Amino acid sequence: MLLVLSEEHKEHLGFLSEVDPAVVGEFGRIAVEFLKKGSNPKIYEGAARKLNVSSESIQHGVEGLMYLLTESSKLMISEVDFQDSVLVLGFSEELNKLLLQLYLDNGKEIRQILSKLAPSLPHYRNLEWRLDVQLASRALRHQVKPTVTLKLHLEDGAQRSAHVLQTDPATLQHLIHELERALAELKSNHCRRILRNIK
Amino acid sequence: MEFSDSVMKGLQTLADPNVFDQKSFTIFTEVAFDSLVSPRGESVLGHPELKHIDQTNLKHCHTAATTFILEGVKQNADKSTISSCLEDVRFQNERVDTFYNSFQKNKRNLESLLSSIDTCPPHITDAEWRLEYCIKNSHVHKVNQPSYLISLNTERAGTSSEINFNCTMEQLQDLVGKMKDAAKSLERATQS
């Protein structure tokens, strides 16, 4: 599957063929840094002065690289497809190799970063439990009521939450039974077939 | 068991055969227990068999009787405690017996009623699950990962609510493993 690059995008990336491959390598490193940690416009100023070009060209070049990498990672295109897509930019052999290496080295990590952007519910982090026996309350003395107190830790992006919950021994058994059924379902023939065939 | 003056007075009135004859007393006792156990039971006030008794007195006696009953259940009072309390307010032996028999009959239900009046963290009642296979989303294509959506139904003071979360197979295994540890500990604790 080939990446289709817009005219504007090709123009921005065109700047890269005017500079040293070493510089392109540096831009590539900067692009990946920005994807991981967020962009820092000051770097554009410094590079612009050193190369004697407008900081806007630098910005376009780096952002063009970022977009190229994110799109390729998102679609998880193969090596061959990446090379073919980049061919259309008319870069030198050396530059193409550099870009391919950049993609192969960082593709996985970029995918992980992208997947954090996807909509999701809080997901499970940890479960703590405690066994208690209730002996008395304001309303009733002389009790012997076993209870299980649970602390469910969830995480939603950067936010962590903990829910303190309680249950009784019978319900605990029921929960275990139900959730084991859920786990077993993944191993059923139906699920195995789907997982195998949709790749 | 200690009671306020108002409760003691109410019980004394209940003991008085001039106010409550034996039949009225028996009916009153039954209705009093009933009003605690089944919230939609017949009310003491306006009860056809108790109409001849002054309604203010009746209400006072009902409050006193129900307070006495609940305190008895709360403290898990035995026969001698209840009998001596009732004798202190001049209950005749026959009335003590009638009262105590009703007490025994309803004790279990009243105990569960009182034990359910509790402040506690939300109580889990059920777990629902959904197994999904994510193919792609707007940010990443070719995800191809199964995932579970778990919904825990909880209840607190009559209102129910839910906690929803995602997990992978490994995370669900971790969750179930920990729950099983808790259940095993529980079993060991009950056996020792």
Side-chain angles (χ1 to χ4, degrees), chain A residues 126-139:
Chain A
N126 193 14
L127 181 78
E128 295 177 270
W129 55 266
R130 190 179 83 185
L131 292 179
D132 295 322
V133 178
Q134 181 166 319
L135 302 174
S137 71
R138 180 176 163 177

Side-chain angles (χ1 to χ4, degrees), chain B residues 53-116:
Chain B
I53 304 170
D54 171 47
Q55 296 293 295
T56 320
N57 252 348
L58 196 59
K59 187 170 174 186
H60 185 191
C61 291
H62 183 250
T63 313
T66 48
T67 309
F68 183 81
I69 294 168
L70 288 174
E71 192 63 24
V73 175
K74 176 163 114 181
Q75 309 272 12
N76 197 20
D78 54 14
K79 183 165 190 185
S80 64
T81 315
I82 295 185
S83 305
S84 62
C85 275
L86 292 178
E87 277 157 21
D88 282 345
V89 284
R90 295 190 229 117
F91 264 54
Q92 296 161 350
N93 285 342
E94 208 183 334
R95 295 197 179 198
V96 173
D97 286 335
T98 310
F99 190 90
Y100 187 71
N101 286 337
S102 284
F103 185 83
Q104 280 299 92
K105 206 171 72 177
N106 290 288
K107 187 172 178 189
R108 208 157 214 211
N109 287 339
L110 288 169
E111 265 175 354
S112 12
L113 191 68
L114 287 180
S115 80
S116 68

Side-chain angles (χ1 to χ4, degrees), chain A residues 73-77 111 114-115 117-129 131 134 137-143 145-150 152 154 163-169 171-176 178-187 191 194-195 198-199, chain B residues 70-71 73-76 110-112 114-129 131 133 135 137-144 146 148-150 152 154 163-176 178-183 185-187 189:
Chain A
S73 305
K74 167 172 153 181
L75 301 168
M76 210 156 91
I77 58 179
R111 263 178 83 81
L114 287 175
S115 60
L117 294 170
S120 74
L121 283 170
H123 69 261
Y124 168 83
R125 214 163 46 86
N126 193 14
L127 181 78
E128 295 177 270
W129 55 266
L131 292 179
Q134 181 166 319
S137 71
R138 180 176 163 177
L140 186 64
R141 312 291 149 82
H142 305 277
Q143 293 182 48
K145 195 160 100 171
T147 53
V148 180
T149 307
L150 302 168
L152 180 66
L154 300 176
H163 297 261
V164 179
L165 307 164
Q166 203 180 66
T167 187
D168 51 83
T171 310
L172 182 65
Q173 289 293 355
H174 168 71
L175 293 176
I176 292 173
E178 262 318 301
L179 295 178
E180 281 189 318
R181 270 172 68 179
L183 280 171
E185 194 55 36
L186 197 54
K187 303 200 175 88
C191 286
I194 305 263
L195 263 67
I198 302 185
K199 274 283 177 238
Chain B
L70 288 174
E71 192 63 24
V73 175
K74 176 163 114 181
Q75 309 272 12
N76 197 20
L110 288 169
E111 265 175 354
S112 12
L114 287 180
S115 80
S116 68
I117 301 173
D118 217 349
T119 52
C120 67
H123 190 102
I124 305 179
T125 51
D126 204 356
E128 294 173 342
W129 55 268
L131 174 57
Y133 190 62
I135 299 177
N137 58 55
S138 54
H139 297 276
V140 193
H141 292 200
K142 294 194 197 158
V143 178
N144 296 340
Y148 285 96
L149 175 59
I150 310 280
L152 294 176
T154 61
I163 298 181
N164 297 319
F165 60 93
N166 270 127
C167 56
T168 62
M169 182 184 81
E170 290 82 12
Q171 289 166 341
L172 187 58
Q173 280 174 335
D174 184 65
L175 174 63
V176 174
K178 293 196 165 113
M179 282 185 168
K180 278 168 121 166
D181 284 341
S185 277
L186 197 59
E187 232 186 277

Side-chain angles (χ1 to χ4, degrees), chain A residues 11 13-21 23-24 51 53 57 91 95:
Chain A
E11 222 182 284
L13 286 173
F15 167 71
L16 295 176
S17 55
E18 294 166 21
V19 292
D20 243 7
V23 179
V24 178
L51 294 170
V53 290
S57 314
F91 288 161
L95 205 52

